[in-house]
Amino acid sequence: MFKSNNVTARIFQRQICTPAPGTSIYSARRFYENIVPSCTIYDVECPDHSFRKFTEDGLYLISFSRNHQDLIVYRPRWPSFSCKEEDCDTHELPPKAKKFEGFFTELYSVSLATSGELICKDFFLYMENNQFGLFATSTAQIHDAPAVGGAVQGVPCVEKITFHLLRMEDGVVLDERVFWSDYVNLAHSMGVFLYDDLLAIVSLRYQRIHILQIRDSGNLVDVRTIGEFCREDDELFLYSSVQSMANPDKSKQLHQMTVNHAANGLHHDRPAGETSFLSGIKQRLLSFIYQGIWNEETDQTLRMQCLKKKFYFHFQDYVDLIIWKVQFLDRHHLLIKFGSVDGGVSRNADNHPAFFAVYNMETTEITAFYQNSTDELYLLFELFCDHFHVSGKNSLYMNFISTHSNNIHNLEQLKSNKNKASSLSQFVKKMLSSLPFSCQSQSPSPYFDQSLFRYDEKLISATDRHRQSTDHPIKFISRRQPNILKFKIKPGPEAGNTDTRSKKISSFLFHPFLPLALSVQQTLFLQPAVVNIHFRR
Amino acid sequence: MGSMLGDWPSFDPLNFSQLRPSDPSSPSRMTPVTYCPTHDRCQPPPNQVIASESRNILLRNMYKRTEDKLRSKRPASEILITDQGLKHPRTSTAESPF
C-alpha cells in the first residue's frame, strides 16, 4: 500500500488511499516500521518489584512485590518535558525524564496474600471489556499427599488456592474463589483458561473442569463442573436413584435433602464418589473410542478382533488417563488433553503418550479424539492454528498475533523445520505438544509481527517466558527492506556484565501498541534485577 | 433513474438500478446485499437468506471428519437404529445467553 518508507510520505498517502478490504489494521501497523523503540535508558532506578506484564489494552502494568504478598499496579504514560533550545533532538534527555516515574505512575498497591500464602507471580489473566484482573494466591505445596476423597494418586496437593478477581481501575477485590486441598497448575496460567467471560479451571487432583462465568458485576458464578458428572442434573439423578433403591420408605425425605444439597451449588466440598462407576467424562470418552473402532469394520469377526486389539487390550490405559490441560475452542467446545499421571505433573511430558479430545459442553458429547502423533490433528493445526488461539470477541489486539496460519514467514519457518526434522511423527508430537494453548501467553505488540520485523526467536519472542540472556543486543531487522536494522533491544547494563560466570535470564515486557518496552535481566540469585526502558524518543 | 448516483452515465443502463435513492432522513442506509445467480440452470430457492455459520471452520472440520468416519463403514441396517443417537446437530448452535 505504501510506496515510500518515509513516514511523512506515508501519512500523505494514507489520506488518499484506502487499504485493501480487511487489511486496515495491517496497513496501520506498517507505521510501526517508522516508529520504533530505539532509545534505551539503561539500569533505570525503579522499585524492586517483579514486573509481570502490560495488560492487553495497554492501560496497566502489573507487578508483584518481592515477598510475593502485594500487587502493585502502574499506569504507563509518556514522559513530558520541555526544552528551550532550538534544536532539541540532539540533546540528552534531562535526568528527570530518565526516571521510572517518568514513564509509570503508581496507581495502587493491594495486599492479596495473607500470612502463609504467596501470590503466584506467573499467574495473571485479564478480562479486557470489564477491566477485571484475575490473580492467584496459594499456600505451600504438600508432596506425597494421601489420595483421599477421589483424588488422583501422584498429583501434589495444595491446602488452599484462592483466585482473586480485582477491578483494575482501583484495585478493589470483587470476588474470590477458594479451592481446598486441591491442585491447579498455576505456572504460566496453564491450568486456567479465560475466553470472553468464561473461565475454565482444571483441578488436576480431583480431575474436574470447573466452568465459571465472570459477570459484569464482578461475581464469579459457577456454570458447571465437568468430571464425575457431565450434565448439571446428573448428580441429582444419581443420588435420587441410589436413595430410592436403598430405602424405599425414606426415599422421599432423602430426595428432599439431596435437592437442597444440590441447590446450594455445584461447588460444595463433598468428597468425590468412591463408587465403582467411572467418571462421566471418562465414560463419554471410552464410548466414543469404542464407537470409532466399532465402525471401522463391517464384518462381525473382524470387528471383534479389532476391538480386542485396539480397545480391550488398552482398556486399563484408557481408564487411567487423566485430564492434563484444557482450553476453549468456542463457548461450547473444550479441547482437553489427556495423559498419564506421571506426565501430568512432570515438567517434560514429551515421552508420555497424550491424547486430545474435543468435548461439547452443551450436548456433553465427545466430538473428536486424537492421539498426539496423528497427522490428522497436525493438519488441522497447520491450517487453522488461529482457531486454536481463541481470543474473546472484544479483544482487538489479540487477534493479530503472527501464527503460521496467518503469516507467510511463520509458515515458511514451520515448513523448513518440518523438512529438516528427522522423524515426521516426532515433529508432529513436538508441534502438538504446544496444544492446548495457554491463554494470554503471547504479547500482541506489533514489534513481534513477523511481516514487519525479523528477529531471533530464541532470544526474544511474543511468548512471555524467561530466556537465557546474552550480552549482545537483540536486533530487529525490517522484513520489507532486507538487512536494514530498525532497532535493538539490549537487556542488562549498558557496558555489559562484569560477572560473566553467573547465569542470567531476561524477560521482556512490550506495551501492546506504544513503542515502549521493559527488559528485565536477573541472575538466579536474589540480586536486584537490571531494568531497562526501551522507547521512542 | 432515481438511483443514489443520479443520472450519471453508465456502460449498462441497468447498472445501479438496485440502489435506492438516498432517503433524506437516513442518508447512509444501504440495502442488504443481494446475490444474483450467475447462470440460469437452476433458480435459487425463494426467500433464501445467506448467513455465516456460527461454528468456526476448525470445529466444522472436526465434526465433518467424525461424521464421515461414523457414516462410511456402517452397514445399512444399523444406520436406522443408531442414527438418532450419533447424529450431531447440523444447524449452527445459537449463542446461549449465559
Side-chain angles (χ1 to χ4, degrees), chain A residues 52-214:
Chain A
R52 174 71 179 92
K53 75 192 283 195
F54 286 98
T55 54
E56 275 89 32
D57 51 11
L59 290 174
Y60 306 101
L61 171 68
I62 308 294
S63 60
F64 301 110
S65 61
R66 284 276 172 211
N67 62 359
H68 304 252
Q69 301 270 331
D70 302 320
L71 160 74
I72 305 109
V73 174
Y74 293 91
R75 171 66 46 96
R77 62 188 186 88
W78 212 254
S80 60
F81 53 90
S82 58
C83 180
K84 282 187 265 189
E85 320 274 325
E86 288 236 333
D87 185 12
C88 295
D89 278 347
T90 51
H91 282 255
E92 275 285 315
L93 279 178
K96 271 206 303 191
K98 281 193 191 175
K99 290 200 318 198
F100 183 80
E101 287 73 31
F103 288 87
F104 299 98
T105 322
E106 183 176 323
L107 290 178
Y108 53 83
S109 171
V110 173
S111 179
L112 283 180
T114 54
S115 63
E117 287 181 341
L118 293 175
I119 300 179
C120 178
K121 277 196 305 181
D122 284 334
F123 184 90
F124 169 62
L125 291 177
Y126 186 65
M127 201 179 149
E128 206 175 316
N129 48 345
N130 291 353
Q131 292 184 22
F132 292 156
L134 193 71
F135 300 90
T137 58
S138 67
T139 53
Q141 214 176 71
I142 307 165
H143 293 276
D144 303 326
V148 290
V152 174
Q153 184 70 42
V155 176
C157 175
V158 176
E159 197 194 317
K160 184 182 180 197
I161 299 177
T162 316
F163 290 101
H164 306 261
L165 187 72
L166 263 78
R167 189 168 53 214
M168 298 307 299
E169 275 175 290
D170 46 15
V172 169
V173 178
L174 296 168
D175 202 351
E176 286 179 0
R177 179 65 87 222
V178 183
F179 289 77
W180 295 99
S181 300
D182 206 336
Y183 186 76
V184 178
N185 202 344
L186 295 172
H188 300 286
S189 315
M190 282 209 291
V192 182
F193 199 92
L194 176 68
Y195 175 64
D196 259 353
D197 58 345
L198 293 179
L199 202 59
I201 301 176
V202 180
S203 155
L204 271 180
R205 193 160 152 79
Y206 294 108
Q207 285 295 294
R208 293 181 196 141
I209 305 169
H210 299 275
I211 309 285
L212 285 81
Q213 188 186 14
I214 304 178

Side-chain angles (χ1 to χ4, degrees), chain A residues 384-437:
Chain A
F384 308 122
C385 182
D386 287 348
H387 293 280
F388 285 103
H389 275 295
V390 287
S391 53
K393 43 185 192 292
N394 294 315
S395 131
L396 176 62
Y397 307 109
M398 299 302 275
N399 288 321
F400 294 93
I401 296 175
S402 296
T403 65
H404 57 254
S405 299
N406 65 26
N407 192 295
I408 189 92
H409 305 284
N410 285 48
L411 185 64
E412 274 172 16
Q413 181 70 39
L414 180 76
K415 294 244 156 101
S416 110
N417 289 346
K418 190 173 169 186
N419 293 333
K420 278 193 269 185
S422 48
S423 147
L424 192 61
S425 75
Q426 281 298 106
F427 176 76
V428 163
K429 268 196 203 174
K430 185 168 159 234
M431 287 288 108
L432 294 180
S433 67
S434 56
L435 286 180
F437 287 123

Side-chain angles (χ1 to χ4, degrees), chain A residues 471 493 495-502 504 521:
Chain A
D471 269 339
N497 283 296
T498 46
D499 178 14
T500 49
R501 281 172 304 164
S502 60
K504 292 179 187 58
Q521 188 188 67

Side-chain angles (χ1 to χ4, degrees), chain B residues 4-5 8 11 14 17 23 29 31 33-34 36-37 51 58-59 69 72 74 76 84-85 87 89-91 93-94 97:
Chain B
M4 205 189 298
L5 297 169
W8 290 12
F11 187 74
L14 292 172
S17 59
D23 193 332
R29 186 165 302 163
T31 54
V33 178
T34 310
C36 299
L58 172 67
L59 286 167
K69 271 192 216 165
S72 58
R74 266 186 303 172
Q84 305 299 324
K87 200 164 190 146
R90 272 281 197 176
T91 52
T93 51

Side-chain angles (χ1 to χ4, degrees), chain A residues 197-198 213 223 288 291 294-298 303 329-333 358 360 362 365-368 370 376-377 379-380 384 387-388, chain B residues 54-59 61-63 65-67 69-75 78 82 85-89 93-98:
Chain A
D197 58 345
L198 293 179
Q213 188 186 14
V223 173
F288 183 83
Q291 273 173 356
W294 174 275
N295 285 303
E296 276 175 21
E297 300 290 340
T298 46
R303 187 179 272 174
L329 289 178
D330 71 0
R331 281 188 87 87
H332 306 294
H333 294 86
V358 177
N360 184 331
E362 293 298 309
E365 285 175 9
I366 301 273
T367 310
Y370 307 99
E376 208 179 304
L377 182 62
L379 190 65
L380 290 174
F384 308 122
H387 293 280
F388 285 103
Chain B
S54 63
R55 191 178 287 170
N56 67 45
I57 191 170
L58 172 67
L59 286 167
N61 257 287
M62 286 179 170
Y63 271 97
R65 278 161 200 256
T66 310
E67 275 178 23
K69 271 192 216 165
L70 291 176
R71 197 165 292 170
S72 58
K73 306 258 171 84
R74 266 186 303 172
E78 287 199 33
T82 52
L86 289 171
K87 200 164 190 146
H88 297 287
T93 51
E95 296 272 5
S96 66
F98 67 84

Side-chain angles (χ1 to χ4, degrees), chain A residues 364-383:
Chain A
T364 71
E365 285 175 9
I366 301 273
T367 310
F369 181 75
Y370 307 99
Q371 187 159 4
N372 67 337
S373 49
T374 11
D375 290 338
E376 208 179 304
L377 182 62
Y378 173 74
L379 190 65
L380 290 174
F381 177 70
E382 197 182 280
L383 292 172

Side-chain angles (χ1 to χ4, degrees), chain A residues 214-279:
Chain A
I214 304 178
R215 290 267 191 218
D216 286 341
S217 57
N219 292 317
L220 288 166
V221 174
D222 287 307
V223 173
R224 49 167 58 96
T225 305
I226 302 163
E228 305 111 271
F229 306 111
C230 293
R231 290 191 192 276
E232 285 107 28
D233 52 357
D234 279 351
E235 193 176 355
L236 176 61
F237 179 77
L238 211 62
Y239 264 134
S240 57
S241 315
V242 162
Q243 302 302 346
S244 59
M245 272 173 18
N247 203 332
D249 300 323
K250 289 195 187 155
S251 68
K252 276 197 184 153
Q253 275 180 27
L254 289 166
H255 187 184
Q256 194 55 43
M257 265 172 65
T258 51
V259 168
N260 289 336
H261 212 37
N264 283 337
L266 303 157
H267 209 81
H268 44 268
D269 289 340
R270 184 191 59 79
E274 271 114 4
T275 63
S276 54
F277 287 126
L278 290 172
S279 67

